[in-house]
Amino acid sequence: MEHQREAAHDDEVYQFSTIGALLDGVYDGDVTVADILRHGDFGLGTFNHLDGEMVILDGVCYRLRSDGTATRAASTDRSPFAAVTRFRTDFDIHICNTAGRSEVLGAIDRQIESVNLIYAIRISGRFRELHTRTVMEQHQPYPPLTEATEGQAETRFSDVSGVLVGFRTPQFQQGISVAGYHLHFLNSERTGGGHVLDFTLDEGVVAVSGASQLHLSLPTSGAFLDARLAGDDVSEQIDKAEGAR
Protein backbone atom coordinates (compact mmCIF):
# COMPACT_ATOMS: atom_id res chain seq x y z
CA MET A 1 0.00 0.00 0.00
CA GLU A 2 2.84 2.39 0.80
CA HIS A 3 4.29 1.87 -2.67
CA GLN A 4 0.91 2.60 -4.23
CA ARG A 5 0.57 5.86 -2.30
CA GLU A 6 4.01 7.00 -3.41
CA ALA A 7 3.28 6.12 -7.02
CA ALA A 8 0.06 8.13 -6.92
CA HIS A 9 2.08 11.25 -6.10
CA ASP A 10 4.71 10.76 -8.80
CA ASP A 11 2.80 13.09 -11.14
CA GLU A 12 1.90 15.73 -8.56
CA VAL A 13 3.01 19.36 -8.37
CA TYR A 14 2.93 20.59 -4.78
CA GLN A 15 2.57 24.36 -4.58
CA PHE A 16 2.78 26.68 -1.61
CA SER A 17 0.57 29.81 -1.92
CA THR A 18 -0.20 31.54 -5.23
CA ILE A 19 1.29 33.96 -7.72
CA GLY A 20 -1.76 36.16 -7.07
CA ALA A 21 -0.60 36.57 -3.47
CA LEU A 22 2.84 37.71 -4.66
CA LEU A 23 1.18 40.23 -6.98
CA ASP A 24 -0.53 41.73 -3.95
CA GLY A 25 2.71 42.02 -1.98
CA VAL A 26 2.51 38.92 0.23
CA TYR A 27 6.28 38.39 0.44
CA ASP A 28 6.55 36.57 3.78
CA GLY A 29 5.68 32.93 4.36
CA ASP A 30 6.15 30.35 7.10
CA VAL A 31 7.09 27.38 4.92
CA THR A 32 10.77 26.41 5.12
CA VAL A 33 13.10 24.95 2.50
CA ALA A 34 13.05 21.70 4.52
CA ASP A 35 9.22 21.66 4.27
CA ILE A 36 9.36 22.22 0.51
CA LEU A 37 11.92 19.47 -0.11
CA ARG A 38 9.69 16.93 1.59
CA HIS A 39 7.37 17.24 -1.42
CA GLY A 40 9.78 17.07 -4.33
CA ASP A 41 13.29 17.28 -5.76
CA PHE A 42 12.71 19.77 -8.60
CA GLY A 43 11.06 23.17 -8.73
CA LEU A 44 11.24 26.92 -8.27
CA GLY A 45 9.95 29.78 -6.17
CA THR A 46 11.23 32.74 -4.19
CA PHE A 47 12.32 33.57 -0.66
CA ASN A 48 10.89 35.83 2.04
CA HIS A 49 11.17 39.56 1.25
CA LEU A 50 11.71 38.45 -2.40
CA ASP A 51 15.36 38.08 -1.38
CA GLY A 52 16.42 35.88 -4.29
CA GLU A 53 14.93 33.49 -6.83
CA MET A 54 14.67 29.81 -5.90
CA VAL A 55 15.84 26.78 -7.91
CA ILE A 56 15.37 23.22 -6.65
CA LEU A 57 17.45 20.76 -8.65
CA ASP A 58 18.25 17.13 -7.80
CA GLY A 59 16.89 17.64 -4.30
CA VAL A 60 19.05 20.69 -3.51
CA CYS A 61 17.64 24.19 -3.06
CA TYR A 62 19.58 27.20 -4.33
CA ARG A 63 19.11 30.94 -3.75
CA LEU A 64 19.81 33.16 -6.80
CA ARG A 65 20.50 36.71 -5.70
CA SER A 66 20.11 40.04 -7.51
CA ASP A 67 23.85 40.24 -8.29
CA GLY A 68 23.54 37.09 -10.43
CA THR A 69 25.23 34.79 -7.90
CA ALA A 70 23.84 31.52 -6.53
CA THR A 71 24.40 29.75 -3.23
CA ARG A 72 22.89 26.74 -1.52
CA ALA A 73 19.90 27.75 0.61
CA ALA A 74 19.65 26.87 4.28
CA SER A 75 17.02 24.33 5.32
CA THR A 76 15.53 26.97 7.64
CA ASP A 77 15.17 29.66 4.95
CA ARG A 78 11.51 30.57 4.39
CA SER A 79 9.41 31.13 1.29
CA PRO A 80 6.14 32.91 0.39
CA PHE A 81 5.78 30.91 -2.85
CA ALA A 82 7.23 27.69 -4.27
CA ALA A 83 6.23 24.86 -6.60
CA VAL A 84 7.92 21.47 -6.50
CA THR A 85 7.57 17.99 -8.01
CA ARG A 86 9.41 14.69 -8.22
CA PHE A 87 10.97 14.86 -11.65
CA ARG A 88 10.96 11.75 -13.85
CA THR A 89 11.44 12.11 -17.59
CA ASP A 90 8.41 11.26 -19.75
CA PHE A 91 10.17 12.30 -22.94
CA ASP A 92 13.18 14.31 -24.03
CA ILE A 93 14.16 16.40 -27.02
CA HIS A 94 17.74 16.70 -28.25
CA ILE A 95 18.66 20.16 -29.55
CA CYS A 96 21.59 19.79 -31.93
CA ASN A 97 21.49 23.16 -33.70
CA THR A 98 21.36 26.68 -32.30
CA ALA A 99 17.80 27.55 -31.28
CA GLY A 100 16.18 30.54 -29.62
CA ARG A 101 13.67 30.55 -26.78
CA SER A 102 10.60 30.42 -29.04
CA GLU A 103 12.02 27.54 -31.08
CA VAL A 104 12.87 25.43 -28.03
CA LEU A 105 9.54 26.06 -26.30
CA GLY A 106 7.72 25.44 -29.60
CA ALA A 107 9.40 22.03 -29.84
CA ILE A 108 8.08 21.20 -26.37
CA ASP A 109 4.57 22.39 -27.26
CA ARG A 110 4.49 20.05 -30.26
CA GLN A 111 5.22 16.99 -28.14
CA ILE A 112 3.19 17.47 -24.97
CA GLU A 113 0.05 15.39 -24.58
CA SER A 114 -2.29 18.26 -23.69
CA VAL A 115 -2.15 21.99 -22.97
CA ASN A 116 -4.43 21.30 -20.00
CA LEU A 117 -1.83 19.36 -17.99
CA ILE A 118 1.22 20.59 -16.05
CA TYR A 119 4.76 19.86 -17.21
CA ALA A 120 8.03 20.22 -15.33
CA ILE A 121 10.71 21.39 -17.77
CA ARG A 122 14.46 20.78 -17.46
CA ILE A 123 16.68 22.17 -20.25
CA SER A 124 20.36 21.25 -19.89
CA GLY A 125 23.04 22.40 -22.28
CA ARG A 126 25.33 25.09 -23.59
CA PHE A 127 23.76 28.52 -23.98
CA ARG A 128 25.17 31.04 -26.42
CA GLU A 129 23.34 33.81 -24.63
CA LEU A 130 21.07 33.91 -21.60
CA HIS A 131 19.25 36.93 -20.15
CA THR A 132 18.04 36.74 -16.54
CA ARG A 133 16.67 39.01 -13.87
CA THR A 134 16.33 38.83 -10.11
CA VAL A 135 14.13 41.08 -8.02
CA MET A 136 15.98 42.92 -5.26
CA GLU A 137 15.14 42.33 -1.61
CA GLN A 138 12.03 44.23 -0.55
CA HIS A 139 11.33 46.08 2.69
CA GLN A 140 8.04 46.84 4.40
CA PRO A 141 5.67 48.34 3.56
CA TYR A 142 5.90 45.99 0.58
CA PRO A 143 4.99 47.32 -2.88
CA PRO A 144 2.95 45.22 -5.33
CA LEU A 145 5.04 42.79 -7.40
CA THR A 146 4.69 44.89 -10.56
CA GLU A 147 6.42 47.77 -8.74
CA ALA A 148 9.02 45.52 -7.10
CA THR A 149 10.12 44.17 -10.47
CA GLU A 150 10.74 47.68 -11.81
CA GLY A 151 13.92 47.73 -9.72
CA GLN A 152 15.05 44.26 -10.80
CA ALA A 153 18.70 43.52 -11.49
CA GLU A 154 19.35 41.98 -14.92
CA THR A 155 22.28 39.74 -15.85
CA ARG A 156 23.45 38.57 -19.27
CA PHE A 157 25.41 35.32 -19.52
CA SER A 158 27.41 34.40 -22.65
CA ASP A 159 28.72 30.98 -23.69
CA VAL A 160 27.58 29.37 -20.43
CA SER A 161 26.63 25.79 -19.50
CA GLY A 162 23.81 25.10 -17.11
CA VAL A 163 20.18 24.14 -16.70
CA LEU A 164 16.80 25.82 -16.95
CA VAL A 165 14.35 24.65 -14.28
CA GLY A 166 10.64 25.33 -14.35
CA PHE A 167 7.12 24.53 -15.44
CA ARG A 168 4.69 24.82 -18.31
CA THR A 169 1.32 25.53 -16.71
CA PRO A 170 -2.18 25.62 -18.30
CA GLN A 171 -3.85 28.95 -19.00
CA PHE A 172 -6.69 28.20 -16.59
CA GLN A 173 -4.20 28.27 -13.70
CA GLN A 174 -3.25 31.90 -14.32
CA GLY A 175 -3.25 33.70 -10.98
CA ILE A 176 -2.74 30.47 -9.05
CA SER A 177 0.47 29.83 -10.97
CA VAL A 178 2.20 31.54 -13.88
CA ALA A 179 0.38 30.31 -17.00
CA GLY A 180 2.68 29.22 -19.80
CA TYR A 181 6.42 28.83 -19.22
CA HIS A 182 8.11 29.93 -16.00
CA LEU A 183 11.86 29.13 -15.97
CA HIS A 184 14.85 29.84 -13.73
CA PHE A 185 18.52 29.32 -14.71
CA LEU A 186 21.35 27.76 -12.70
CA ASN A 187 24.84 27.47 -14.18
CA SER A 188 26.82 24.21 -14.14
CA GLU A 189 29.06 25.44 -11.31
CA ARG A 190 25.93 26.23 -9.23
CA THR A 191 27.33 29.72 -8.64
CA GLY A 192 25.04 31.89 -10.78
CA GLY A 193 21.60 32.21 -12.30
CA GLY A 194 18.25 33.98 -12.20
CA HIS A 195 14.72 34.20 -13.57
CA VAL A 196 14.90 33.59 -17.33
CA LEU A 197 13.84 36.37 -19.70
CA ASP A 198 15.38 35.03 -22.91
CA PHE A 199 17.96 32.52 -24.13
CA THR A 200 19.72 31.04 -27.15
CA LEU A 201 20.66 27.37 -26.79
CA ASP A 202 23.60 26.09 -28.87
CA GLU A 203 23.00 22.45 -27.99
CA GLY A 204 21.37 20.53 -25.20
CA VAL A 205 18.63 18.21 -23.98
CA VAL A 206 15.09 19.14 -22.98
CA ALA A 207 13.56 16.72 -20.46
CA VAL A 208 9.83 16.89 -19.72
CA SER A 209 7.96 15.41 -16.76
CA GLY A 210 4.16 15.55 -16.91
CA ALA A 211 1.80 16.03 -13.96
CA SER A 212 -1.96 15.69 -13.68
CA GLN A 213 -2.31 16.58 -10.01
CA LEU A 214 -1.88 19.95 -8.31
CA HIS A 215 -1.72 20.11 -4.51
CA LEU A 216 -2.23 23.72 -3.41
CA SER A 217 -1.21 24.54 0.16
CA LEU A 218 -2.54 27.94 1.27
CA PRO A 219 -1.18 30.01 4.18
CA THR A 220 -3.45 30.13 7.21
CA SER A 221 -1.95 33.23 8.81
CA GLY A 222 -0.26 36.49 7.94
CA ALA A 223 -0.88 38.93 5.09
CA PHE A 224 -2.31 36.23 2.81
CA LEU A 225 -5.59 36.23 4.74
CA ASP A 226 -6.33 39.85 3.79
CA ALA A 227 -4.76 39.86 0.31
CA ARG A 228 -6.75 40.89 -2.74
CA LEU A 229 -6.36 37.83 -4.94
CA ALA A 230 -8.88 38.51 -7.70
CA GLY A 231 -8.91 41.12 -10.42
CA ASP A 232 -9.58 41.57 -14.11
CA ASP A 233 -5.97 42.55 -14.81
CA VAL A 234 -4.25 39.52 -13.20
CA SER A 235 -2.81 38.28 -16.50
CA GLU A 236 -1.52 41.74 -17.39
CA GLN A 237 0.12 42.10 -13.96
CA ILE A 238 1.76 38.66 -14.21
CA ASP A 239 3.09 39.39 -17.69
CA LYS A 240 4.61 42.64 -16.43
CA ALA A 241 6.10 41.05 -13.32
CA GLU A 242 7.49 38.04 -15.20
CA GLY A 243 8.99 40.08 -18.01
CA ALA A 244 6.90 38.39 -20.72
CA ARG A 245 7.71 39.35 -24.27
Side-chain angles (χ1 to χ4, degrees):
M1 290 295 292
E2 184 64 30
H3 174 74
Q4 291 177 343
R5 283 198 297 271
E6 290 179 356
H9 291 286
D10 280 350
D11 66 346
E12 176 184 270
V13 172
Y14 198 106
Q15 183 174 306
F16 297 87
S17 193
T18 70
I19 284 292
L22 285 185
L23 288 175
D24 203 51
V26 182
Y27 302 154
D28 292 317
D30 292 330
V31 62
T32 66
V33 166
D35 295 331
I36 295 167
L37 292 179
R38 291 190 186 100
H39 297 281
D41 56 14
F42 179 95
L44 50 66
T46 188
F47 294 89
N48 277 10
H49 323 303
L50 297 190
D51 186 17
E53 305 278 358
M54 178 187 293
V55 163
I56 297 170
L57 182 63
D58 299 327
V60 179
C61 182
Y62 299 89
R63 184 194 293 259
L64 318 177
R65 294 194 181 274
S66 58
D67 61 359
T69 63
T71 56
R72 188 164 178 165
S75 62
T76 54
D77 286 345
R78 296 181 183 273
S79 171
F81 172 84
V84 66
T85 191
R86 300 192 188 282
F87 195 98
R88 78 285 182 272
T89 302
D90 289 327
F91 67 86
D92 53 31
I93 303 168
H94 291 260
I95 306 296
C96 301
N97 300 310
T98 302
R101 178 182 182 275
S102 61
E103 294 172 276
V104 175
L105 302 188
I108 299 171
D109 287 343
R110 288 190 293 272
Q111 290 205 30
I112 60 174
E113 181 180 2
S114 170
V115 297
N116 295 326
L117 299 176
I118 308 169
Y119 298 92
I121 309 294
R122 176 174 177 160
I123 305 174
S124 305
R126 189 77 182 176
F127 296 86
R128 177 173 297 185
E129 295 179 334
L130 201 142
H131 184 194
T132 69
R133 65 96 164 131
T134 303
V135 178
M136 296 181 182
E137 182 179 6
Q138 301 297 302
H139 303 280
Q140 292 185 337
Y142 294 137
L145 187 60
T146 51
E147 293 181 21
T149 54
E150 289 177 359
Q152 66 190 15
E154 298 190 10
T155 303
R156 293 185 182 272
F157 297 87
S158 298
D159 193 26
V160 61
S161 293
V163 58
L164 305 188
V165 169
F167 295 93
R168 185 197 190 283
T169 302
Q171 286 296 320
F172 62 78
Q173 280 185 230
Q174 185 78 304
I176 296 174
S177 309
V178 176
Y181 287 92
H182 184 188
L183 301 168
H184 289 178
F185 171 68
L186 184 67
N187 67 9
S188 295
E189 296 76 24
R190 309 301 190 243
T191 57
H195 171 96
V196 176
L197 297 175
D198 200 7
F199 65 87
T200 300
L201 179 64
D202 271 339
E203 59 178 351
V205 178
V206 180
V208 179
S209 175
S212 60
Q213 300 181 60
L214 174 65
H215 185 117
L216 184 59
S217 178
L218 299 177
T220 57
S221 64
F224 179 86
L225 299 183
D226 296 318
R228 188 180 71 88
L229 302 181
D232 295 336
D233 59 346
V234 167
S235 290
E236 181 180 341
Q237 290 182 59
I238 291 175
D239 286 346
K240 182 179 179 181
E242 294 296 310
R245 295 179 303 144

